[in-house]
Amino acid sequence: MPIKNNWFYESLSESASLTLKVDELLYHQKSEYQDVLVFKNNDYGNVLVLDDCFMLSDKDEHMYHKAITHYGVSNCAAHNLSVLVVGAGDGGVVRDLLTTHKDKVEKVTMVEIDQAVIDVAKKFFPKVSSHLNDPRLDLKVEDALKYIDNALDESFDLVICDSTDPVGFAAGLIEEGFYKKIKRVLKDDGIFVAQSGSKFFMNDELEAARTNLKKVFADVHTYYSPMLVYPGVIWSYTAAGVKIKNKENLDISEFLEEKSIIHA
């Protein structure tokens, strides 16, 4: 585990790393799928780390969830949306879909492979996971790839892929074959959106995702928004469909909300 002298280090390259002080270790266990770590930092609040990579913190989680849901929902022409969420075990995507976008979203199906992430989110990130028991949510703990294989054609208006980085059990989530399966379960005017990494530190993965998406979808567009605990701070989200009507990045001021400030 990359904790040295009470500091956690996420290695970005041979020459760079992102580090936060572990002011209090709250949880550390190996699940069936990944290493799960939660610690408290006096500036960032509670911090979630999966397989030695930062996932979110109390201070910045709203930035990520606001971005990925907005870039998805804003491109959907329909109302009464049926949404499939891949991953997102912390619950933040579900929360934003069922609150910020409640006027457009009718039902959400969330497929998360790791029950441990859901349990940790409920215990240590109650504001993020606040809607995991919402009756509008159909929560399934299983392999999303297998779920999609068995889903009916044209089942969803929007698919949001909020997965870990595309390695290990998530490696297939940037492949052409996966995108073809996504297109099959989307309605004709449906939209797919996924987090697509750092332009600065994961450009090969970003370009691979864009290249494979263009083989399947008519229109592909990449957005950028801030996320404080992610490599390079500026994070990318890529949307695909027949037509991406909204190609504007959210203004940086949209993310500078009072709730992001941790008071000692």
Side-chain angles (χ1 to χ4, degrees):
M1 183 170 62
I3 294 180
K4 299 178 182 178
N5 299 320
N6 292 325
W7 287 81
F8 175 85
Y9 293 81
E10 178 183 343
S11 178
L12 310 182
S13 70
E14 293 182 357
S15 303
S17 66
L18 179 63
T19 181
L20 289 179
K21 186 177 181 182
V22 180
D23 288 304
E24 182 181 355
L25 182 63
L26 299 175
Y27 179 93
H28 183 221
Q29 294 287 335
K30 185 81 171 181
S31 77
E32 182 179 354
Y33 299 98
Q34 56 200 329
D35 187 88
V36 183
L37 169 69
V38 182
F39 65 86
K40 180 180 179 181
N41 175 274
N42 288 341
D43 288 320
Y44 284 76
N46 288 356
V47 181
L48 175 64
V49 176
L50 299 180
D51 278 344
D52 300 334
C53 295
F54 288 111
M55 292 293 111
L56 58 83
S57 74
D58 286 332
K59 192 178 188 72
D60 61 4
E61 60 85 10
H62 71 284
M63 299 180 179
Y64 178 93
H65 297 126
K66 182 183 185 72
I68 198 169
T69 56
H70 173 81
Y71 294 139
V73 174
S74 66
N75 280 298
C76 293
H79 285 71
N80 302 319
L81 299 176
S82 178
V83 184
L84 172 63
V85 178
V86 176
D90 56 77
V93 168
V94 168
R95 177 202 61 197
D96 279 29
L97 286 171
L98 296 178
T99 54
T100 304
H101 303 290
K102 63 182 180 181
D103 292 338
K104 290 193 70 173
V105 173
E106 181 175 3
K107 182 181 178 181
V108 178
T109 301
M110 171 180 150
V111 187
E112 164 62 50
I113 197 170
D114 198 344
Q115 180 68 47
V117 176
I118 296 171
D119 294 340
V120 162
K122 288 181 176 180
K123 183 173 182 178
F124 297 106
F125 300 91
K127 292 182 179 179
V128 183
S129 60
S130 59
H131 281 69
L132 286 179
N133 294 320
D134 192 293
R136 294 168 292 176
L137 173 66
D138 182 10
L139 174 58
K140 300 180 182 297
V141 182
E142 59 182 274
D143 185 339
L145 295 176
K146 293 181 180 178
Y147 174 84
I148 291 168
D149 282 341
N150 295 318
L152 297 175
D153 291 358
E154 300 184 19
S155 302
F156 300 100
D157 301 287
L158 171 63
V159 176
I160 297 177
C161 187
D162 176 19
S163 68
T164 57
D165 293 336
V167 295
F169 66 86
L173 299 182
I174 62 169
E175 294 178 356
E176 181 183 353
F178 172 67
Y179 296 143
K180 287 181 177 178
K181 294 177 180 180
I182 291 294
K183 186 176 182 180
R184 180 184 66 80
V185 302
L186 279 172
K187 296 178 183 179
D188 287 342
D189 59 351
I191 296 295
F192 171 73
V193 65
Q195 70 90 5
S196 46
S198 168
K199 178 72 174 176
F200 304 113
F201 292 99
M202 303 172 184
N203 193 54
D204 289 346
E205 291 86 347
L206 170 58
E207 291 306 316
R210 286 178 50 82
T211 296
N212 287 332
L213 281 166
K214 289 177 180 178
K215 295 175 182 177
V216 178
F217 294 95
D219 200 2
V220 176
H221 184 74
T222 299
Y223 306 87
Y224 298 95
S225 298
M227 183 62 181
L228 301 183
V229 297
Y230 284 1
V233 179
I234 302 301
W235 205 245
S236 74
Y237 307 84
T238 299
V242 173
K243 177 65 176 177
I244 304 302
K245 63 178 184 177
N246 169 33
K247 295 186 176 181
E248 296 294 324
N249 288 311
L250 284 166
D251 189 274
I252 191 70
S253 64
E254 293 279 340
F255 301 95
L256 304 180
E257 302 177 8
E258 175 64 24
K259 69 178 181 180
S260 70
I261 302 172
I262 302 294
H263 297 283

